[in-house]
Amino acid sequence: MAFSILKAAGAFALMALSATTTLAQTDPLGAAPAARTDKTTIIVGSADFPESQLLATIYAKALAAKGIKTDTKLNIGSREVYMPALLDGSIDLLPEYAGATLSYLDKNATAHSPEDVAKALKAALPAGVSMLTPSQAQDSDGVAVTRATAEKYKLKTIADLAPVASQLVLGGPPEWKTRKEGIIGLKELYGLEFKSFKSLDVGGPLTLSALVNDQVQAANLFSTDPAIADNKLVILEDVKNLFPAQNIVPVIAKAKVSDVVTKTLDAVSAALTTDDLIVMNGRLANHDSFDVVADEWLAKHKLN
């Protein structure tokens, strides 16, 4: 296990070097890490999709309500960019998805249940990085099709795609090309060879539009997306457990962990539900701001 931790830490360090240029080009983090002089502020980062940005906003506001100085660096990018940023000190805290983070750190991970994933993730985190208590709330990856496509090909599970995948275009984020929870896993575990792959956004409006308009016939969407029900889409059952449990979990630099931080974020995790995520994502889709949605959720649970 120690070897895997060292290996993960080494991988983080190598990616941090290559990520520095990306961060500077997109400027989501502002100045280079060396220019950071304020060691007391907790900088909360997020991935490049609304739910992650909302959760980061909730974390920051909950901590601020306890007198902790916070700042946010939202919309950083994919895990391949924001994880090295956490390691090099550009950010201190971010909301993560347990199963996806585990797979990122350990390509050979086989854990699937929430308990097993949490245990394996805790062991896989590199030195200097810690995880707090995972929430029961999950936002799981899924392969979605329209109801028409499901009926045409009699699709109920991902395995049902095997005879027809060569006729279908798969859509998903660019990272799906190289992730186990993407094209690699769909091929290795399910034997799926799609006609082609179309790079879209992270389960967002581009993906939804492409799927609904038949530009792609299968796509990566997430279980907390209200658009699934609104558009009567079908999430195919993952009968071979390609996608591990994706409980929301705060991942934080160990140097920024304190009793107050732990109790505050654990309270957020305890209150958060999958249904909350679906409702809040719906509000974001209707153009409510992150601040408004976060403030109202925190007030409802008496966390601000």
Side-chain angles (χ1 to χ4, degrees):
M1 187 62 70
F3 174 74
S4 65
I5 295 174
L6 288 172
K7 183 172 68 173
F12 266 52
L14 288 173
M15 287 182 289
L17 291 175
S18 61
T20 302
T21 301
T22 303
L23 294 174
Q25 289 172 346
T26 57
D27 198 31
L29 300 177
R36 182 177 173 186
T37 56
D38 182 359
K39 302 297 184 181
T40 60
T41 298
I42 292 182
I43 299 180
V44 190
S46 85
D48 55 350
F49 56 93
E51 182 178 277
S52 178
Q53 296 172 66
L54 173 64
L55 289 168
T57 303
I58 288 173
Y59 286 0
K61 287 178 175 289
L63 291 171
K66 298 299 182 181
I68 296 171
K69 188 176 179 182
T70 63
D71 192 8
T72 56
K73 301 295 182 184
L74 306 181
N75 199 32
I76 294 171
S78 68
R79 187 168 287 108
E80 288 77 2
V81 178
Y82 64 70
M83 274 297 197
L86 177 64
L87 194 68
D88 70 23
S90 301
I91 60 175
D92 304 306
L93 166 68
L94 53 88
E96 261 293 22
Y97 299 84
T101 311
L102 174 61
S103 295
Y104 173 81
L105 293 171
D106 182 0
K107 304 300 183 186
N108 298 314
T110 58
H112 185 263
S113 71
E115 296 78 15
D116 289 346
V117 168
K119 182 179 179 180
L121 176 58
K122 185 175 181 179
L125 288 171
V129 178
S130 183
M131 59 178 275
L132 302 182
T133 305
S135 174
Q136 291 298 309
Q138 290 197 50
D139 184 0
S140 303
D141 281 274
V143 177
V145 298
T146 62
R147 181 172 293 181
T149 297
E151 291 176 351
K152 179 179 180 179
Y153 297 111
K154 297 180 173 57
L155 305 176
K156 293 183 178 179
T157 74
I158 297 175
D160 293 336
L161 285 166
V164 298
S166 62
Q167 305 171 45
L168 310 179
V169 178
L170 175 68
E175 297 81 23
W176 254 42
K177 292 180 181 180
T178 55
R179 285 184 179 174
K180 177 182 174 183
E181 292 79 18
I183 290 179
I184 293 175
L186 289 171
K187 181 177 180 180
E188 292 180 351
L189 198 59
Y190 283 101
L192 302 184
E193 294 270 10
F194 287 90
K195 180 179 179 180
S196 62
F197 176 76
K198 188 175 182 65
S199 292
L200 299 165
D201 54 8
V202 187
L206 292 179
T207 301
L208 178 64
S209 176
L211 185 61
V212 171
N213 293 311
D214 202 38
Q215 294 170 313
V216 301
Q217 291 74 51
N220 174 220
L221 290 178
F222 301 102
S223 60
T224 60
D225 189 344
I228 293 170
D230 292 345
N231 291 275
K232 299 180 180 178
L233 302 176
V234 177
I235 297 293
L236 301 179
E237 185 181 356
D238 180 19
V239 292
K240 296 188 177 182
N241 297 331
L242 172 61
F243 303 117
Q246 300 287 13
N247 298 78
I248 311 298
V249 58
V251 175
I252 185 170
K254 285 184 178 179
K256 294 301 176 74
V257 176
S258 67
D259 287 343
V260 174
V261 169
T262 299
K263 289 178 182 178
T264 300
L265 295 179
D266 280 356
V268 169
S269 292
L272 187 67
T273 68
T274 301
D275 285 342
D276 285 345
L277 292 175
I278 294 172
V279 171
M280 290 191 289
N281 283 332
R283 292 189 59 186
L284 296 178
N286 288 326
H287 307 296
D288 285 352
S289 72
F290 296 124
D291 285 331
V292 168
V293 176
D295 282 337
E296 291 185 7
W297 184 86
L298 288 165
K300 178 181 177 181
H301 295 282
K302 300 179 181 180
L303 293 171
N304 63 353

